[in-house]
Amino acid sequence: MNKITLLSLICLSMWGCAHSETTSEEISMQNNQAPAANFKDIRWELIELMGQPVKYANADSQKVYIQFNGGDNRVNGSDGCNSFTGAYEETPGQRLFISKLASTKKFCIKMPTEDNFAEVLQGVDNYTVDGDNLSLNKARMAPLARFKAVSK
């Protein structure tokens, strides 16, 4: 091999190594998808569950909410009575998987969301953010749960 060819190969190898990291935003752009909107470190209040609006008894009622912590991929919130915590994984294409949910088990007056909120969360496989609204979805079905941002 001559010196020019060898030098060219070394330069190309070094350039390739220096540019090997691809961010999730770049992957989304390569797949012709919009970059994922931020849903982390925001408190999201439930407004709809399985297509039904969530109605609270009064303004002082404990709200159903969820928050995804960006630093440690933990999720926490309240079903309106019991607190819960768990883990989540976000992957390119706005894919989201919630797992390892644990909850307190307080005695509560029948809450409209208590029975199936955790089940719904564990069925989520993707999300969409539209302004101050977060939808947690399963495949291409109607949203399983819809939330509005209450604090950022």
Side-chain angles (χ1 to χ4, degrees):
M1 242 195 241
N2 67 30
K3 290 180 182 180
I4 294 175
T5 305
L6 182 59
L7 185 58
S8 296
L9 286 174
I10 291 171
C11 288
L12 283 173
S13 297
M14 291 175 66
W15 182 82
C17 290
H19 291 87
S20 64
E21 288 186 36
T22 304
T23 66
S24 60
E25 185 173 317
E26 290 170 327
I27 291 169
S28 292
M29 297 289 244
Q30 291 168 0
N31 294 332
N32 293 326
Q33 298 171 345
N38 185 35
F39 66 97
K40 299 171 189 168
D41 301 316
I42 298 171
R43 184 174 170 140
W44 298 96
E45 184 179 297
L46 184 68
I47 56 174
E48 185 180 292
L49 185 65
M50 302 294 291
Q52 300 299 312
V54 174
K55 296 181 177 135
Y56 297 100
N58 57 55
D60 294 330
S61 295
Q62 173 74 27
K63 304 294 188 214
V64 179
Y65 74 91
I66 193 167
Q67 184 165 340
F68 298 89
N69 302 314
D72 60 3
N73 285 7
R74 301 290 301 165
V75 61
N76 66 289
S78 170
D79 67 8
C81 176
N82 287 293
S83 299
F84 67 87
T85 187
Y88 74 90
E89 178 184 1
E90 179 191 19
T91 60
Q94 293 183 281
R95 306 282 292 164
L96 179 69
F97 303 94
I98 300 171
S99 62
K100 301 177 184 170
L101 288 178
S103 168
T104 58
K105 297 292 181 194
K106 295 188 263 180
F107 176 75
C108 308
I109 297 174
K110 186 70 174 157
M111 302 291 297
T113 59
E114 184 181 6
D115 292 334
N116 57 358
F117 188 59
E119 250 178 68
V120 165
L121 292 179
Q122 292 183 79
V124 167
D125 67 7
N126 69 87
Y127 71 95
T128 54
V129 177
D130 183 14
D132 284 342
N133 294 302
L134 168 68
S135 295
L136 299 181
N137 315 302
K138 172 94 175 159
R140 297 187 186 272
M141 299 177 358
L144 298 175
R146 290 185 44 234
F147 301 83
K148 69 176 179 180
V150 292
S151 65
K152 293 186 178 184

